[in-house]
Amino acid sequence: MSSSPDLPHPERSEISLTTVLFALSDPERLAIARQLVDGPLDMAECHLSNPDVPKSTKSHLMKVLRTAGVVRNEANGRARRLSLRREDLDARFPGLLDAVLSAEKDSANS
Amino acid sequence: MSSSPDLPHPERSEISLTTVLFALSDPERLAIARQLVDGPLDMAECHLSNPDVPKSTKSHLMKVLRTAGVVRNEANGRARRLSLRREDLDARFPGLLDAVLSAEKDSANS
DNA sequence: TAAAAGGTTCGAAATAATTCGAACGATGGA
DNA sequence: TCCATCGTTCGAATTATTTCGAACCTTTTA
């Protein structure tokens, strides 16, 4: 009874500012992060702006967020539980996540 | 006596969060922004980590920062005066610039 | 014990971003 | 006026990212 793949995550000390900024610089990825502010979600509950994108594409978006250290991705039955790495990010880059996530979500905010 | 080119800058209201994050997600561009926290500099005083990069490349880095709304680029004699758009950014995305610029500049911070 | 559900990975194709030389323009000084 | 300085722009080549189908793996359910 092996389990779903244990994906690699950077340690807190390995999280790079520019990599985090890059991960959040895509509107779709930023929107995902915003969906996680109120707590973890299973992947199927994270919605993309276009509901028709293939699962491989969605998986890749998650990978960018995960390898940047923005999100944790853990096995949860046959699903995947996604959560914001809030404590790690707050410790490493104080105020950054708050600033990004609380920014107005208007049009020019893509 | 026409003057050096007046380059286009986005208005405050047009500055996009993801575009700003993207502009700052490159180590070289982030380093430039950090050099401007203490006040404007002429382009020749902004140093890149590799002093041998061609001027066209440097100019392109500046363009990304400018078109994102991170930096203002004004004619100053035959030089170019670069400044951080601190007020605009603070107004639009409170806390963001502070968080980014005050983050530790250690290795994992590229 | 199948088969469906939920996701990851791989590889290839399409897009986007970066790099840099060459050409150009404006300014300031000789 | 002539020329060196400081930068921008253009276009082409390189490199990086994104997209997506196909193959695969694990878990749950029938």
Side-chain angles (χ1 to χ4, degrees):
Chain A
M1 63 171 277
S2 53
S3 56
S4 286
D6 252 11
L7 303 173
H9 292 76
E11 290 180 39
R12 175 184 293 189
S13 68
E14 293 169 338
I15 298 178
S16 144
L17 177 58
T18 52
T19 304
V20 167
L21 295 178
F22 179 80
L24 295 174
S25 74
D26 174 74
E28 206 69 74
R29 290 192 299 254
L30 177 58
I32 291 169
R34 283 180 165 150
Q35 293 177 52
L36 297 175
V37 290
D38 295 323
L41 288 176
D42 278 354
M43 190 147 170
E45 275 124 31
C46 289
H47 302 299
L48 302 185
S49 66
N50 173 0
D52 298 329
V53 332
K55 57 185 180 174
S56 57
T57 300
K58 188 175 179 181
S59 185
H60 179 257
L61 291 170
M62 294 301 183
K63 183 181 190 174
V64 173
L65 288 167
R66 171 177 54 82
T67 57
V70 174
V71 144
R72 201 181 303 279
N73 180 337
E74 299 166 301
N76 179 33
R78 68 183 151 188
R80 287 265 146 197
R81 165 71 40 118
L82 299 168
S83 51
L84 252 193
R85 295 184 62 177
R86 203 179 232 308
E87 288 196 2
D88 290 328
L89 292 168
D90 285 352
R92 191 120 178 72
F93 311 119
L96 179 63
L97 207 49
D98 281 341
V100 169
L101 297 177
S102 72
E104 305 173 51
K105 304 175 198 57
D106 62 24
S107 55
N109 222 301
S110 352
Chain B
M1 67 171 273
S2 55
S3 56
S4 287
D6 251 10
L7 303 173
H9 292 75
E11 291 181 38
R12 176 186 292 190
S13 67
E14 294 169 337
I15 299 178
S16 144
L17 177 57
T18 52
T19 304
V20 167
L21 295 178
F22 180 80
L24 297 174
S25 73
D26 174 75
E28 207 69 75
R29 290 191 299 254
L30 177 58
I32 291 169
R34 283 180 164 150
Q35 291 177 55
L36 296 175
V37 291
D38 296 322
L41 288 176
D42 278 354
M43 189 144 170
E45 278 130 26
C46 288
H47 302 299
L48 301 185
S49 66
N50 173 1
D52 298 329
V53 332
K55 57 185 180 174
S56 55
T57 300
K58 188 175 180 181
S59 184
H60 179 258
L61 292 170
M62 294 301 185
K63 182 181 191 174
V64 173
L65 288 167
R66 171 177 54 81
T67 57
V70 173
V71 145
R72 200 180 305 279
N73 180 337
E74 299 166 300
N76 179 33
R78 68 183 151 187
R80 287 266 148 195
R81 164 70 41 119
L82 299 168
S83 52
L84 252 193
R85 294 184 63 177
R86 203 179 232 307
E87 288 195 3
D88 290 327
L89 292 168
D90 284 352
R92 190 120 179 72
F93 311 119
L96 180 63
L97 207 51
D98 281 341
V100 169
L101 298 178
S102 71
E104 304 172 50
K105 304 177 197 55
D106 62 24
S107 55
N109 224 302
S110 339

